[in-house]
Amino acid sequence: MTPDPLTLDLDPMHGASPTDQLVSRLELFGYQPSPDEPDPRPALEDERLQMAAEDIVDVLTTVLTGTRSEPDLDDLLWGAVNLFHRSVDRVQRLLDANADAQRKSQREQDGSEVRSVELERLLAQGEVLIDRRDTLEALRDRAAEAFEAHTGSVWRPRAGSLVNHRALTAAVIDSRDFLMAKRRTETAVLMPAGPRIAFTGGLDCNDHRAIWAALDRVQAKHAGMVLLHGGSPKGAELIAAKWADHRKVPQIAFRPDWTRHAKAAPFKRNDALLDTLPIGVVVFPGSGISDNLADKARKLGIPLFDFRTRGGT
C-alpha cells in the first residue's frame, strides 16, 4: 500500500545558525561595520572621486541631450549636485552630535579605563565622520565644476551656504589634545620633578631601621629625590612610604591593577614603574616580584642599591 504523502511526517524546519546568517549577510551586502565601531575601510581616493562625480554629470548629459527631456537637464544636473550637498549636511549633523558627545565624555572623565576607552571610541568615530564629510564635499565640488562646464552657470545651493571643511572640528582637536594630555599625565605630568628612586621589598620585611637608614643614604646622595614604590599595605614598601611622609619626600605608588591584569598584575606594575626610568632601585628582601623588578632594572642598566644581602651595593 502506498502511503499517503499528506500523512507523512515532514522534517522539522531548521533555523539558520548565527554563523550561517553572518556568512549570508556578508555574501549579500559585504562587510558592514557596526554603528558603534570605527569604520576600518579606506577612504575614497581623490582620482576615483573626481571620475565618479564627472561621470554622473556626463551620463545625464549624454542620455538627455537631443531628447524631449533635454529642457529638464539643467534641473537634473543641479539636483545631482544638490544630492551630495544635502548628504554633507546630514553627515555634518552626525559630526556635530559626535562633538557634543566628546565634550560630555571629557567632562565625565574620572581616570577610569572605561571613560578613557569611551572617549577614544568617540574620537575614532569623529575622524571617520570627518573623512565621510570631506569625501562628500569633494564629490559635490567636482560635480559642481562639471555642472558649470555643461551649463555655463555656477552651481549655488538654494538653502544654506557652500562650505568646504578641510580641517578638524574644534571638538575633535580638543579631544585629541585631551587624550594626549591624559597619556602624558599618566606617565610624566603628575610625576614630581627630581631624580626618581624606586623601592621594592617584601610584605614580611619589617626592618624599619635598615630601610630608613638606606633611604637616608640615598637621599643624601640624590637630593630632591622622588620615591617610587608598589604601595603595599604592609611590609617594606609601607615603611618606605612612612619614611617619605616623615622626610617630606614626594612619592608615587604604583599599585597592581588586579582587575585588568589578574595574576600578572604585579609584573605589569613593575613594567609601568620602570617605564618612568628611575635612576636607581633600592631592593630589600622580598618575594619573586621584588626579584623580578630588580632583574628587569639590571637589564635596563639601572643601578641597584641592593640590601637583600645587607650590603647595599
Side-chain angles (χ1 to χ4, degrees):
M1 181 177 178
T2 303
D4 185 354
L6 297 177
T7 64
L8 292 177
D9 292 334
L10 299 177
D11 289 338
M13 294 295 293
H14 296 285
S17 68
T19 302
D20 180 63
Q21 294 177 11
L22 176 61
V23 171
S24 298
R25 185 175 182 84
L26 287 173
E27 290 176 345
L28 287 173
F29 306 109
Y31 171 70
Q32 298 290 328
S34 168
D36 295 330
E37 64 176 308
D39 194 333
R41 294 173 294 184
L44 184 62
E45 298 175 358
D46 288 342
E47 183 177 352
R48 295 184 62 189
L49 180 149
Q50 181 170 353
M51 290 175 58
E54 292 175 350
D55 286 346
I56 292 173
V57 175
D58 288 341
V59 167
L60 284 173
T61 303
T62 302
V63 170
L64 298 182
T65 299
T67 70
R68 294 176 180 177
S69 297
E70 185 172 356
D72 301 316
L73 178 58
D74 287 0
D75 285 341
L76 290 172
L77 293 178
W78 184 95
V81 182
N82 191 56
L83 176 65
F84 296 122
H85 182 64
R86 295 189 61 177
S87 296
V88 169
D89 290 340
R90 175 179 53 82
V91 176
Q92 183 62 51
R93 287 193 295 271
L94 294 174
L95 185 56
D96 291 341
N98 175 269
D100 291 339
Q102 287 186 41
R103 295 189 189 97
K104 181 175 181 291
S105 181
Q106 289 178 29
R107 293 192 298 268
E108 294 176 349
Q109 289 296 310
D110 55 8
S112 68
E113 184 73 12
V114 173
R115 293 297 187 188
S116 178
V117 170
E118 178 189 21
L119 181 56
E120 290 179 354
R121 178 180 60 82
L122 289 170
L123 176 60
Q125 290 177 347
E127 291 177 342
V128 171
L129 287 171
I130 287 172
D131 286 339
R132 288 173 55 188
R133 181 201 60 194
D134 290 350
T135 297
L136 288 170
E137 285 183 341
L139 280 166
R140 179 199 60 196
D141 294 346
R142 298 296 182 274
E145 292 173 1
F147 172 86
E148 183 177 0
H150 283 282
T151 65
S153 301
V154 177
W155 187 89
R156 293 286 184 230
R158 292 173 182 166
S161 58
L162 193 62
V163 180
N164 192 306
H165 302 82
R166 287 299 180 184
L168 298 177
T169 63
V172 173
I173 293 174
D174 288 345
S175 289
R176 178 170 290 174
D177 292 343
F178 179 90
L179 289 173
M180 292 176 63
K182 183 177 184 294
R183 294 188 183 100
R184 289 196 301 269
T185 296
E186 291 172 347
T187 57
V189 172
L190 290 182
M191 188 72 66
R196 300 163 191 168
I197 302 295
F199 180 93
T200 185
L203 298 176
D204 298 327
C205 179
N206 294 306
D207 192 346
H208 67 277
R209 293 183 183 276
I211 293 173
W212 279 52
L215 291 173
D216 281 339
R217 287 172 53 187
V218 174
Q219 185 187 26
K221 185 176 181 181
H222 301 285
M225 64 174 280
V226 177
L227 182 68
L228 315 178
H229 58 81
S232 297
K234 63 178 183 178
E237 292 178 353
L238 177 60
I239 295 172
K242 296 294 186 182
W243 172 87
D245 288 338
H246 188 78
R247 295 286 193 257
K248 307 299 181 186
V249 171
Q251 59 178 304
I252 304 293
F254 288 76
R255 294 181 174 83
D257 188 344
W258 298 100
T259 302
R260 185 178 182 184
H261 300 299
K263 294 181 180 180
F267 306 101
K268 295 289 187 180
R269 182 272 315 278
N270 288 349
D271 294 338
L273 190 152
L274 292 175
D275 283 343
T276 66
L277 298 178
I279 65 170
V281 181
V282 180
V283 187
F284 270 78
S287 64
I289 296 170
S290 297
D291 294 339
N292 173 264
L293 179 63
D295 292 342
K296 289 179 176 178
R298 185 182 292 110
K299 291 179 180 179
L300 292 172
I302 300 173
L304 299 183
F305 303 94
D306 197 340
F307 292 87
R308 287 174 293 186
T309 59
R310 302 294 182 180
T313 59

